[in-house]
Amino acid sequence: MDQADITCEVLVVGAGPTGLMAANLLKLAGVDVRIVDLRSGPSRESRAFAVSARSLELFASIGLADRLIERGAITSGVDFHVSGRRVGGLDYDKVQAPDTPFPFILMVPQSETEAVLIDALGKAGLEVEREIEVTGLDQASDQVRVTARRADGAPVAISARYVLGADGAHSIVRRALDLSFEGAKYPQSFLLGDVEVDWPLGHGRFRLFMQGERIGLFFPLQGTRLSRVMTTDLHASDLHADAPHAGDDPSHPEPLALEELQASFAEATGQPASLRNPTWLTRFRTHHRVVDRYRAGRVFVAGDAAHIHSPAGGQGMNTGLQDAANLAWKLAWKLGGTMRADAGEAMLDTYETERLPVARQVLRMTDRMFTVAAGQSGWRAHLRDLVAPAVLAPASGVGAIQTAVFRRLEQIDIRYPPSCAVAPGAGMRAPAAQLSRHRDLLDVLAGYRFHLLVLSRGALEADAADGILGRFAAVSALGVEPHLLTRQAGGRRDGIEIIERGDVFDRYGVPPDDGQASVLIRPDGHIAWRGDGVGVAGCMDFLTQSIGLAGSGRPDCR
């Protein structure tokens, strides 16, 4: 970047997973986007480690899921150990979740997640502009003027239509907006290491150990080559009170010796564990905080800049990725000139009304998980160890409980309230379904764009199918990709998906016999509108009246 000034439609501040996902989606949508980061290079530590089923569906929609999976470790559940003995766990092989093709936990270092997103961004023709520190911003009626400086101190002036702050827990964007960031740090301090582990329990399962006040965690990352281990730091002092949590950029890392981590981990697990070849060792304290607003005028926050959680459940990064998916298409449609001015502002407001409640709910869940598992001391910790086997063992054998926990942790049951972006009765995530021996609905929904599904449970003759296809031109002109899903249509033609099994009809509530239904799915994978029959006209009404589309432009996000 040779010029002193940067002008763009959207400036993304921060090149962690949330910022990188946002930049990828905005670029895919045809937005003139730039992304800057204070750091000289991408993360080398693992930091965030678990990618949820919902996030994998997002990666799949832009063709990146396989690249991510091949870099990580698939684990099918969690084992709980108390006083050195396994007392139960979550077995995802017992989970009933046929509506996602990813019924597992993907353990992958954050550095690998960032590498996949950076590579995709480069192929799209956009590079992260590094060693640029944002120092302030000023909003005008039609733009945001951002001040920044390079590593050598040279000033940089940036002008953007909109700014997204994805710059972590210590976000300068959030501070510049003077957003509230309510919460606190947990009292416990932790030791963390990404290491090779020799022990008798294997490397294929996520494990939680409870041993009085000592808590241990084991996360498989890359087979026997790399695992993450964490334990409670019972010798913590106030020196660590302000250390950032493991998901943040550790600007003030606390030193940790491998020998100390090994001794603490062996004590917590009750196992003869040997740790070697560390790639990251640190002490940290984790926080729980959330902003009061996601938007202030032309500036938005996402990811750790908007919410930070305990590491419990691996929710933080995944929540940030879904923040990015929710916002990017709304900015693209607003900037593309396809919406009435009043409708565009209302659409941007739905980013906060949809995502802020999710962040608060995730914060409550992770806070409860953390408090139960790691937030006990003294007699309460010993009481937990006595009670836990009686609770965990029976629950581990109940498939309904396993399924409920899976769906909550994997973020696949999140539903958005009615708004200009969600019709009454809609808002849930669009479920996946196997359409044929070799094709899933997620293949049809590929690409970060709107899709209209017209589903016909009954077989269609060729002329009936052609009649439906003829109605698709109107929604196509508004940037929506239409599909007819039916059992028969007189041969394969563009726009028709031949269905070999009825799962998709059941999941989308298509009436029995020869029933038909229509479903409009947003780029972020949530259902925007649903109608009975061949509802092309109803879909058009929703797009033009509720969403406020006024003409064709860039919203197809191709």
PDB file of all heavy atoms in Angstrom, residues 78-114:
ATOM      1  N   VAL A  78     -17.145 -35.428  24.196  1.00  0.00           N
ATOM      2  CA  VAL A  78     -16.408 -34.911  25.339  1.00  0.00           C
ATOM      3  C   VAL A  78     -16.492 -35.929  26.469  1.00  0.00           C
ATOM      4  O   VAL A  78     -17.571 -36.464  26.750  1.00  0.00           O
ATOM      5  CB  VAL A  78     -17.000 -33.566  25.823  1.00  0.00           C
ATOM      6  CG1 VAL A  78     -16.183 -33.007  26.975  1.00  0.00           C
ATOM      7  CG2 VAL A  78     -17.092 -32.558  24.678  1.00  0.00           C
ATOM      8  N   ASP A  79     -15.370 -36.211  27.115  1.00  0.00           N
ATOM      9  CA  ASP A  79     -15.347 -37.089  28.286  1.00  0.00           C
ATOM     10  C   ASP A  79     -15.159 -36.254  29.541  1.00  0.00           C
ATOM     11  O   ASP A  79     -14.340 -35.334  29.572  1.00  0.00           O
ATOM     12  CB  ASP A  79     -14.206 -38.103  28.186  1.00  0.00           C
ATOM     13  CG  ASP A  79     -14.490 -39.203  27.176  1.00  0.00           C
ATOM     14  OD1 ASP A  79     -15.665 -39.370  26.808  1.00  0.00           O
ATOM     15  OD2 ASP A  79     -13.540 -39.891  26.762  1.00  0.00           O
ATOM     16  N   PHE A  80     -15.937 -36.582  30.584  1.00  0.00           N
ATOM     17  CA  PHE A  80     -15.821 -35.914  31.874  1.00  0.00           C
ATOM     18  C   PHE A  80     -15.154 -36.861  32.872  1.00  0.00           C
ATOM     19  O   PHE A  80     -15.572 -38.017  33.020  1.00  0.00           O
ATOM     20  CB  PHE A  80     -17.204 -35.512  32.410  1.00  0.00           C
ATOM     21  CG  PHE A  80     -17.958 -34.594  31.493  1.00  0.00           C
ATOM     22  CD1 PHE A  80     -19.179 -34.973  30.949  1.00  0.00           C
ATOM     23  CD2 PHE A  80     -17.453 -33.346  31.170  1.00  0.00           C
ATOM     24  CE1 PHE A  80     -19.879 -34.133  30.105  1.00  0.00           C
ATOM     25  CE2 PHE A  80     -18.145 -32.486  30.328  1.00  0.00           C
ATOM     26  CZ  PHE A  80     -19.357 -32.883  29.800  1.00  0.00           C
ATOM     27  N   HIS A  81     -14.134 -36.369  33.546  1.00  0.00           N
ATOM     28  CA  HIS A  81     -13.395 -37.153  34.537  1.00  0.00           C
ATOM     29  C   HIS A  81     -13.462 -36.434  35.884  1.00  0.00           C
ATOM     30  O   HIS A  81     -13.265 -35.221  35.954  1.00  0.00           O
ATOM     31  CB  HIS A  81     -11.929 -37.318  34.128  1.00  0.00           C
ATOM     32  CG  HIS A  81     -11.729 -37.994  32.812  1.00  0.00           C
ATOM     33  ND1 HIS A  81     -11.276 -39.292  32.697  1.00  0.00           N
ATOM     34  CD2 HIS A  81     -11.909 -37.553  31.533  1.00  0.00           C
ATOM     35  CE1 HIS A  81     -11.183 -39.618  31.420  1.00  0.00           C
ATOM     36  NE2 HIS A  81     -11.563 -38.571  30.688  1.00  0.00           N
ATOM     37  N   VAL A  82     -13.729 -37.178  36.918  1.00  0.00           N
ATOM     38  CA  VAL A  82     -13.746 -36.631  38.272  1.00  0.00           C
ATOM     39  C   VAL A  82     -12.810 -37.461  39.132  1.00  0.00           C
ATOM     40  O   VAL A  82     -12.917 -38.697  39.162  1.00  0.00           O
ATOM     41  CB  VAL A  82     -15.163 -36.634  38.873  1.00  0.00           C
ATOM     42  CG1 VAL A  82     -15.130 -36.141  40.317  1.00  0.00           C
ATOM     43  CG2 VAL A  82     -16.097 -35.767  38.034  1.00  0.00           C
ATOM     44  N   SER A  83     -11.881 -36.788  39.789  1.00  0.00           N
ATOM     45  CA  SER A  83     -10.901 -37.460  40.650  1.00  0.00           C
ATOM     46  C   SER A  83     -10.186 -38.593  39.914  1.00  0.00           C
ATOM     47  O   SER A  83      -9.972 -39.682  40.454  1.00  0.00           O
ATOM     48  CB  SER A  83     -11.592 -38.002  41.912  1.00  0.00           C
ATOM     49  OG  SER A  83     -12.199 -36.948  42.635  1.00  0.00           O
ATOM     50  N   GLY A  84      -9.844 -38.330  38.655  1.00  0.00           N
ATOM     51  CA  GLY A  84      -9.077 -39.288  37.864  1.00  0.00           C
ATOM     52  C   GLY A  84      -9.880 -40.389  37.215  1.00  0.00           C
ATOM     53  O   GLY A  84      -9.324 -41.231  36.511  1.00  0.00           O
ATOM     54  N   ARG A  85     -11.231 -40.379  37.367  1.00  0.00           N
ATOM     55  CA  ARG A  85     -12.063 -41.466  36.830  1.00  0.00           C
ATOM     56  C   ARG A  85     -13.099 -40.893  35.864  1.00  0.00           C
ATOM     57  O   ARG A  85     -13.751 -39.893  36.156  1.00  0.00           O
ATOM     58  CB  ARG A  85     -12.761 -42.192  37.987  1.00  0.00           C
ATOM     59  CG  ARG A  85     -13.665 -43.344  37.565  1.00  0.00           C
ATOM     60  CD  ARG A  85     -14.139 -44.099  38.797  1.00  0.00           C
ATOM     61  NE  ARG A  85     -14.952 -43.259  39.665  1.00  0.00           N
ATOM     62  CZ  ARG A  85     -16.284 -43.171  39.576  1.00  0.00           C
ATOM     63  NH1 ARG A  85     -16.932 -43.849  38.659  1.00  0.00           N
ATOM     64  NH2 ARG A  85     -16.949 -42.389  40.430  1.00  0.00           N
ATOM     65  N   ARG A  86     -13.245 -41.540  34.704  1.00  0.00           N
ATOM     66  CA  ARG A  86     -14.263 -41.101  33.751  1.00  0.00           C
ATOM     67  C   ARG A  86     -15.644 -41.395  34.318  1.00  0.00           C
ATOM     68  O   ARG A  86     -15.945 -42.522  34.722  1.00  0.00           O
ATOM     69  CB  ARG A  86     -14.110 -41.811  32.410  1.00  0.00           C
ATOM     70  CG  ARG A  86     -15.083 -41.293  31.345  1.00  0.00           C
ATOM     71  CD  ARG A  86     -15.010 -42.095  30.052  1.00  0.00           C
ATOM     72  NE  ARG A  86     -15.890 -41.528  29.034  1.00  0.00           N
ATOM     73  CZ  ARG A  86     -17.191 -41.755  28.939  1.00  0.00           C
ATOM     74  NH1 ARG A  86     -17.784 -42.562  29.819  1.00  0.00           N
ATOM     75  NH2 ARG A  86     -17.918 -41.206  27.971  1.00  0.00           N
ATOM     76  N   VAL A  87     -16.524 -40.373  34.318  1.00  0.00           N
ATOM     77  CA  VAL A  87     -17.846 -40.553  34.911  1.00  0.00           C
ATOM     78  C   VAL A  87     -18.975 -40.281  33.911  1.00  0.00           C
ATOM     79  O   VAL A  87     -20.149 -40.349  34.265  1.00  0.00           O
ATOM     80  CB  VAL A  87     -18.020 -39.628  36.132  1.00  0.00           C
ATOM     81  CG1 VAL A  87     -17.029 -39.981  37.227  1.00  0.00           C
ATOM     82  CG2 VAL A  87     -17.897 -38.153  35.729  1.00  0.00           C
ATOM     83  N   GLY A  88     -18.653 -40.005  32.689  1.00  0.00           N
ATOM     84  CA  GLY A  88     -19.678 -39.747  31.682  1.00  0.00           C
ATOM     85  C   GLY A  88     -19.130 -38.871  30.581  1.00  0.00           C
ATOM     86  O   GLY A  88     -17.919 -38.616  30.507  1.00  0.00           O
ATOM     87  N   GLY A  89     -20.014 -38.424  29.724  1.00  0.00           N
ATOM     88  CA  GLY A  89     -19.558 -37.571  28.640  1.00  0.00           C
ATOM     89  C   GLY A  89     -20.636 -37.323  27.617  1.00  0.00           C
ATOM     90  O   GLY A  89     -21.782 -37.768  27.747  1.00  0.00           O
ATOM     91  N   LEU A  90     -20.267 -36.596  26.585  1.00  0.00           N
ATOM     92  CA  LEU A  90     -21.131 -36.330  25.440  1.00  0.00           C
ATOM     93  C   LEU A  90     -20.630 -37.160  24.274  1.00  0.00           C
ATOM     94  O   LEU A  90     -19.466 -37.056  23.895  1.00  0.00           O
ATOM     95  CB  LEU A  90     -21.092 -34.846  25.072  1.00  0.00           C
ATOM     96  CG  LEU A  90     -21.479 -33.859  26.174  1.00  0.00           C
ATOM     97  CD1 LEU A  90     -21.269 -32.431  25.687  1.00  0.00           C
ATOM     98  CD2 LEU A  90     -22.919 -34.074  26.612  1.00  0.00           C
ATOM     99  N   ASP A  91     -21.491 -37.998  23.742  1.00  0.00           N
ATOM    100  CA  ASP A  91     -21.128 -38.855  22.619  1.00  0.00           C
ATOM    101  C   ASP A  91     -21.939 -38.410  21.411  1.00  0.00           C
ATOM    102  O   ASP A  91     -23.126 -38.736  21.289  1.00  0.00           O
ATOM    103  CB  ASP A  91     -21.406 -40.321  22.952  1.00  0.00           C
ATOM    104  CG  ASP A  91     -20.895 -41.264  21.861  1.00  0.00           C
ATOM    105  OD1 ASP A  91     -20.459 -40.763  20.798  1.00  0.00           O
ATOM    106  OD2 ASP A  91     -20.938 -42.483  22.075  1.00  0.00           O
ATOM    107  N   TYR A  92     -21.323 -37.670  20.517  1.00  0.00           N
ATOM    108  CA  TYR A  92     -22.057 -37.132  19.386  1.00  0.00           C
ATOM    109  C   TYR A  92     -22.483 -38.210  18.398  1.00  0.00           C
ATOM    110  O   TYR A  92     -23.335 -37.958  17.532  1.00  0.00           O
ATOM    111  CB  TYR A  92     -21.223 -36.065  18.677  1.00  0.00           C
ATOM    112  CG  TYR A  92     -21.174 -34.743  19.410  1.00  0.00           C
ATOM    113  CD1 TYR A  92     -21.838 -34.556  20.619  1.00  0.00           C
ATOM    114  CD2 TYR A  92     -20.470 -33.667  18.908  1.00  0.00           C
ATOM    115  CE1 TYR A  92     -21.806 -33.362  21.299  1.00  0.00           C
ATOM    116  CE2 TYR A  92     -20.429 -32.442  19.571  1.00  0.00           C
ATOM    117  CZ  TYR A  92     -21.096 -32.306  20.766  1.00  0.00           C
ATOM    118  OH  TYR A  92     -21.071 -31.108  21.428  1.00  0.00           O
ATOM    119  N   ASP A  93     -21.922 -39.403  18.501  1.00  0.00           N
ATOM    120  CA  ASP A  93     -22.395 -40.500  17.654  1.00  0.00           C
ATOM    121  C   ASP A  93     -23.813 -40.915  18.036  1.00  0.00           C
ATOM    122  O   ASP A  93     -24.499 -41.584  17.265  1.00  0.00           O
ATOM    123  CB  ASP A  93     -21.459 -41.706  17.767  1.00  0.00           C
ATOM    124  CG  ASP A  93     -20.121 -41.452  17.089  1.00  0.00           C
ATOM    125  OD1 ASP A  93     -20.059 -40.572  16.208  1.00  0.00           O
ATOM    126  OD2 ASP A  93     -19.128 -42.123  17.439  1.00  0.00           O
ATOM    127  N   LYS A  94     -24.254 -40.544  19.229  1.00  0.00           N
ATOM    128  CA  LYS A  94     -25.613 -40.859  19.675  1.00  0.00           C
ATOM    129  C   LYS A  94     -26.595 -39.723  19.396  1.00  0.00           C
ATOM    130  O   LYS A  94     -27.784 -39.849  19.660  1.00  0.00           O
ATOM    131  CB  LYS A  94     -25.619 -41.148  21.178  1.00  0.00           C
ATOM    132  CG  LYS A  94     -24.793 -42.363  21.588  1.00  0.00           C
ATOM    133  CD  LYS A  94     -24.828 -42.537  23.102  1.00  0.00           C
ATOM    134  CE  LYS A  94     -24.003 -43.738  23.536  1.00  0.00           C
ATOM    135  NZ  LYS A  94     -23.986 -43.895  25.011  1.00  0.00           N
ATOM    136  N   VAL A  95     -26.086 -38.631  18.872  1.00  0.00           N
ATOM    137  CA  VAL A  95     -26.910 -37.446  18.663  1.00  0.00           C
ATOM    138  C   VAL A  95     -27.795 -37.611  17.431  1.00  0.00           C
ATOM    139  O   VAL A  95     -27.363 -38.137  16.404  1.00  0.00           O
ATOM    140  CB  VAL A  95     -25.997 -36.211  18.508  1.00  0.00           C
ATOM    141  CG1 VAL A  95     -26.729 -35.055  17.861  1.00  0.00           C
ATOM    142  CG2 VAL A  95     -25.446 -35.791  19.861  1.00  0.00           C
ATOM    143  N   GLN A  96     -29.038 -37.148  17.550  1.00  0.00           N
ATOM    144  CA  GLN A  96     -29.945 -37.115  16.415  1.00  0.00           C
ATOM    145  C   GLN A  96     -29.908 -35.716  15.801  1.00  0.00           C
ATOM    146  O   GLN A  96     -30.602 -34.812  16.251  1.00  0.00           O
ATOM    147  CB  GLN A  96     -31.362 -37.470  16.863  1.00  0.00           C
ATOM    148  CG  GLN A  96     -31.516 -38.865  17.428  1.00  0.00           C
ATOM    149  CD  GLN A  96     -31.167 -39.942  16.412  1.00  0.00           C
ATOM    150  OE1 GLN A  96     -31.636 -39.911  15.270  1.00  0.00           O
ATOM    151  NE2 GLN A  96     -30.334 -40.890  16.819  1.00  0.00           N
ATOM    152  N   ALA A  97     -29.060 -35.543  14.796  1.00  0.00           N
ATOM    153  CA  ALA A  97     -28.925 -34.237  14.146  1.00  0.00           C
ATOM    154  C   ALA A  97     -28.746 -34.435  12.642  1.00  0.00           C
ATOM    155  O   ALA A  97     -27.725 -34.056  12.062  1.00  0.00           O
ATOM    156  CB  ALA A  97     -27.746 -33.464  14.728  1.00  0.00           C
ATOM    157  N   PRO A  98     -29.749 -35.035  11.993  1.00  0.00           N
ATOM    158  CA  PRO A  98     -29.625 -35.282  10.550  1.00  0.00           C
ATOM    159  C   PRO A  98     -29.705 -34.018   9.710  1.00  0.00           C
ATOM    160  O   PRO A  98     -29.489 -34.084   8.495  1.00  0.00           O
ATOM    161  CB  PRO A  98     -30.811 -36.209  10.255  1.00  0.00           C
ATOM    162  CG  PRO A  98     -31.826 -35.863  11.296  1.00  0.00           C
ATOM    163  CD  PRO A  98     -31.035 -35.526  12.527  1.00  0.00           C
ATOM    164  N   ASP A  99     -30.026 -32.877  10.343  1.00  0.00           N
ATOM    165  CA  ASP A  99     -30.164 -31.635   9.588  1.00  0.00           C
ATOM    166  C   ASP A  99     -28.854 -30.872   9.456  1.00  0.00           C
ATOM    167  O   ASP A  99     -28.845 -29.731   9.004  1.00  0.00           O
ATOM    168  CB  ASP A  99     -31.225 -30.739  10.220  1.00  0.00           C
ATOM    169  CG  ASP A  99     -30.910 -30.376  11.663  1.00  0.00           C
ATOM    170  OD1 ASP A  99     -30.150 -31.121  12.305  1.00  0.00           O
ATOM    171  OD2 ASP A  99     -31.422 -29.347  12.151  1.00  0.00           O
ATOM    172  N   THR A 100     -27.733 -31.476   9.839  1.00  0.00           N
ATOM    173  CA  THR A 100     -26.418 -30.897   9.561  1.00  0.00           C
ATOM    174  C   THR A 100     -25.482 -32.000   9.092  1.00  0.00           C
ATOM    175  O   THR A 100     -25.525 -33.118   9.618  1.00  0.00           O
ATOM    176  CB  THR A 100     -25.827 -30.197  10.798  1.00  0.00           C
ATOM    177  OG1 THR A 100     -24.537 -29.634  10.447  1.00  0.00           O
ATOM    178  CG2 THR A 100     -25.664 -31.148  11.962  1.00  0.00           C
ATOM    179  N   PRO A 101     -24.649 -31.731   8.113  1.00  0.00           N
ATOM    180  CA  PRO A 101     -23.671 -32.733   7.677  1.00  0.00           C
ATOM    181  C   PRO A 101     -22.417 -32.748   8.546  1.00  0.00           C
ATOM    182  O   PRO A 101     -21.479 -33.483   8.236  1.00  0.00           O
ATOM    183  CB  PRO A 101     -23.337 -32.290   6.253  1.00  0.00           C
ATOM    184  CG  PRO A 101     -23.535 -30.814   6.266  1.00  0.00           C
ATOM    185  CD  PRO A 101     -24.656 -30.544   7.238  1.00  0.00           C
ATOM    186  N   PHE A 102     -22.423 -31.973   9.636  1.00  0.00           N
ATOM    187  CA  PHE A 102     -21.239 -31.857  10.479  1.00  0.00           C
ATOM    188  C   PHE A 102     -21.561 -32.202  11.935  1.00  0.00           C
ATOM    189  O   PHE A 102     -21.450 -31.349  12.828  1.00  0.00           O
ATOM    190  CB  PHE A 102     -20.663 -30.447  10.387  1.00  0.00           C
ATOM    191  CG  PHE A 102     -20.378 -29.991   8.983  1.00  0.00           C
ATOM    192  CD1 PHE A 102     -21.162 -28.999   8.393  1.00  0.00           C
ATOM    193  CD2 PHE A 102     -19.361 -30.562   8.247  1.00  0.00           C
ATOM    194  CE1 PHE A 102     -20.916 -28.583   7.098  1.00  0.00           C
ATOM    195  CE2 PHE A 102     -19.102 -30.150   6.946  1.00  0.00           C
ATOM    196  CZ  PHE A 102     -19.882 -29.159   6.355  1.00  0.00           C
ATOM    197  N   PRO A 103     -21.941 -33.462  12.222  1.00  0.00           N
ATOM    198  CA  PRO A 103     -22.322 -33.841  13.595  1.00  0.00           C
ATOM    199  C   PRO A 103     -21.108 -34.191  14.456  1.00  0.00           C
ATOM    200  O   PRO A 103     -21.017 -35.269  15.023  1.00  0.00           O
ATOM    201  CB  PRO A 103     -23.223 -35.055  13.368  1.00  0.00           C
ATOM    202  CG  PRO A 103     -22.631 -35.709  12.160  1.00  0.00           C
ATOM    203  CD  PRO A 103     -22.137 -34.579  11.280  1.00  0.00           C
ATOM    204  N   PHE A 104     -20.179 -33.259  14.563  1.00  0.00           N
ATOM    205  CA  PHE A 104     -18.951 -33.507  15.311  1.00  0.00           C
ATOM    206  C   PHE A 104     -18.362 -32.177  15.747  1.00  0.00           C
ATOM    207  O   PHE A 104     -18.852 -31.113  15.365  1.00  0.00           O
ATOM    208  CB  PHE A 104     -17.942 -34.295  14.475  1.00  0.00           C
ATOM    209  CG  PHE A 104     -17.663 -33.705  13.109  1.00  0.00           C
ATOM    210  CD1 PHE A 104     -16.819 -32.623  12.952  1.00  0.00           C
ATOM    211  CD2 PHE A 104     -18.254 -34.254  11.970  1.00  0.00           C
ATOM    212  CE1 PHE A 104     -16.563 -32.079  11.696  1.00  0.00           C
ATOM    213  CE2 PHE A 104     -18.016 -33.713  10.712  1.00  0.00           C
ATOM    214  CZ  PHE A 104     -17.171 -32.634  10.569  1.00  0.00           C
ATOM    215  N   ILE A 105     -17.317 -32.256  16.559  1.00  0.00           N
ATOM    216  CA  ILE A 105     -16.546 -31.070  16.925  1.00  0.00           C
ATOM    217  C   ILE A 105     -15.282 -31.071  16.078  1.00  0.00           C
ATOM    218  O   ILE A 105     -14.572 -32.078  16.031  1.00  0.00           O
ATOM    219  CB  ILE A 105     -16.156 -31.088  18.412  1.00  0.00           C
ATOM    220  CG1 ILE A 105     -17.381 -31.301  19.295  1.00  0.00           C
ATOM    221  CG2 ILE A 105     -15.447 -29.798  18.798  1.00  0.00           C
ATOM    222  CD1 ILE A 105     -17.024 -31.559  20.751  1.00  0.00           C
ATOM    223  N   LEU A 106     -15.023 -29.976  15.397  1.00  0.00           N
ATOM    224  CA  LEU A 106     -13.768 -29.851  14.661  1.00  0.00           C
ATOM    225  C   LEU A 106     -12.799 -29.047  15.512  1.00  0.00           C
ATOM    226  O   LEU A 106     -13.023 -27.865  15.790  1.00  0.00           O
ATOM    227  CB  LEU A 106     -13.978 -29.156  13.315  1.00  0.00           C
ATOM    228  CG  LEU A 106     -12.692 -28.989  12.501  1.00  0.00           C
ATOM    229  CD1 LEU A 106     -12.143 -30.340  12.064  1.00  0.00           C
ATOM    230  CD2 LEU A 106     -12.922 -28.079  11.293  1.00  0.00           C
ATOM    231  N   MET A 107     -11.743 -29.711  15.951  1.00  0.00           N
ATOM    232  CA  MET A 107     -10.682 -29.034  16.684  1.00  0.00           C
ATOM    233  C   MET A 107      -9.614 -28.596  15.683  1.00  0.00           C
ATOM    234  O   MET A 107      -8.981 -29.441  15.034  1.00  0.00           O
ATOM    235  CB  MET A 107     -10.066 -29.969  17.722  1.00  0.00           C
ATOM    236  CG  MET A 107     -11.037 -30.446  18.778  1.00  0.00           C
ATOM    237  SD  MET A 107     -11.527 -29.096  19.863  1.00  0.00           S
ATOM    238  CE  MET A 107     -12.394 -30.001  21.139  1.00  0.00           C
ATOM    239  N   VAL A 108      -9.435 -27.310  15.554  1.00  0.00           N
ATOM    240  CA  VAL A 108      -8.452 -26.793  14.606  1.00  0.00           C
ATOM    241  C   VAL A 108      -7.852 -25.519  15.187  1.00  0.00           C
ATOM    242  O   VAL A 108      -8.572 -24.668  15.702  1.00  0.00           O
ATOM    243  CB  VAL A 108      -9.104 -26.535  13.225  1.00  0.00           C
ATOM    244  CG1 VAL A 108     -10.233 -25.533  13.316  1.00  0.00           C
ATOM    245  CG2 VAL A 108      -8.076 -26.088  12.199  1.00  0.00           C
ATOM    246  N   PRO A 109      -6.546 -25.374  15.162  1.00  0.00           N
ATOM    247  CA  PRO A 109      -5.931 -24.155  15.693  1.00  0.00           C
ATOM    248  C   PRO A 109      -6.432 -22.908  14.974  1.00  0.00           C
ATOM    249  O   PRO A 109      -6.654 -22.921  13.767  1.00  0.00           O
ATOM    250  CB  PRO A 109      -4.432 -24.373  15.452  1.00  0.00           C
ATOM    251  CG  PRO A 109      -4.274 -25.857  15.321  1.00  0.00           C
ATOM    252  CD  PRO A 109      -5.532 -26.342  14.684  1.00  0.00           C
ATOM    253  N   GLN A 110      -6.600 -21.841  15.713  1.00  0.00           N
ATOM    254  CA  GLN A 110      -7.037 -20.588  15.109  1.00  0.00           C
ATOM    255  C   GLN A 110      -6.091 -20.157  13.996  1.00  0.00           C
ATOM    256  O   GLN A 110      -6.526 -19.571  12.998  1.00  0.00           O
ATOM    257  CB  GLN A 110      -7.135 -19.491  16.152  1.00  0.00           C
ATOM    258  CG  GLN A 110      -7.589 -18.144  15.582  1.00  0.00           C
ATOM    259  CD  GLN A 110      -7.749 -17.078  16.641  1.00  0.00           C
ATOM    260  OE1 GLN A 110      -8.206 -17.354  17.735  1.00  0.00           O
ATOM    261  NE2 GLN A 110      -7.352 -15.859  16.323  1.00  0.00           N
ATOM    262  N   SER A 111      -4.822 -20.437  14.157  1.00  0.00           N
ATOM    263  CA  SER A 111      -3.857 -20.064  13.118  1.00  0.00           C
ATOM    264  C   SER A 111      -4.209 -20.722  11.788  1.00  0.00           C
ATOM    265  O   SER A 111      -4.040 -20.122  10.717  1.00  0.00           O
ATOM    266  CB  SER A 111      -2.444 -20.462  13.543  1.00  0.00           C
ATOM    267  OG  SER A 111      -2.378 -21.853  13.857  1.00  0.00           O
ATOM    268  N   GLU A 112      -4.710 -21.962  11.828  1.00  0.00           N
ATOM    269  CA  GLU A 112      -5.099 -22.650  10.600  1.00  0.00           C
ATOM    270  C   GLU A 112      -6.393 -22.070  10.037  1.00  0.00           C
ATOM    271  O   GLU A 112      -6.558 -21.951   8.821  1.00  0.00           O
ATOM    272  CB  GLU A 112      -5.266 -24.147  10.876  1.00  0.00           C
ATOM    273  CG  GLU A 112      -4.000 -24.855  11.318  1.00  0.00           C
ATOM    274  CD  GLU A 112      -2.966 -24.968  10.210  1.00  0.00           C
ATOM    275  OE1 GLU A 112      -3.287 -24.662   9.038  1.00  0.00           O
ATOM    276  OE2 GLU A 112      -1.819 -25.353  10.501  1.00  0.00           O
ATOM    277  N   THR A 113      -7.338 -21.725  10.916  1.00  0.00           N
ATOM    278  CA  THR A 113      -8.569 -21.078  10.451  1.00  0.00           C
ATOM    279  C   THR A 113      -8.241 -19.770   9.740  1.00  0.00           C
ATOM    280  O   THR A 113      -8.773 -19.477   8.655  1.00  0.00           O
ATOM    281  CB  THR A 113      -9.510 -20.823  11.637  1.00  0.00           C
ATOM    282  OG1 THR A 113      -9.802 -22.060  12.290  1.00  0.00           O
ATOM    283  CG2 THR A 113     -10.809 -20.178  11.179  1.00  0.00           C
ATOM    284  N   GLU A 114      -7.359 -18.985  10.344  1.00  0.00           N
ATOM    285  CA  GLU A 114      -6.958 -17.729   9.710  1.00  0.00           C
ATOM    286  C   GLU A 114      -6.252 -17.987   8.385  1.00  0.00           C
ATOM    287  O   GLU A 114      -6.472 -17.265   7.401  1.00  0.00           O
ATOM    288  CB  GLU A 114      -6.058 -16.939  10.647  1.00  0.00           C
ATOM    289  CG  GLU A 114      -6.769 -16.362  11.856  1.00  0.00           C
ATOM    290  CD  GLU A 114      -5.871 -15.479  12.705  1.00  0.00           C
ATOM    291  OE1 GLU A 114      -4.779 -15.110  12.227  1.00  0.00           O
ATOM    292  OE2 GLU A 114      -6.259 -15.153  13.845  1.00  0.00           O
TER     293      GLU A 114
END
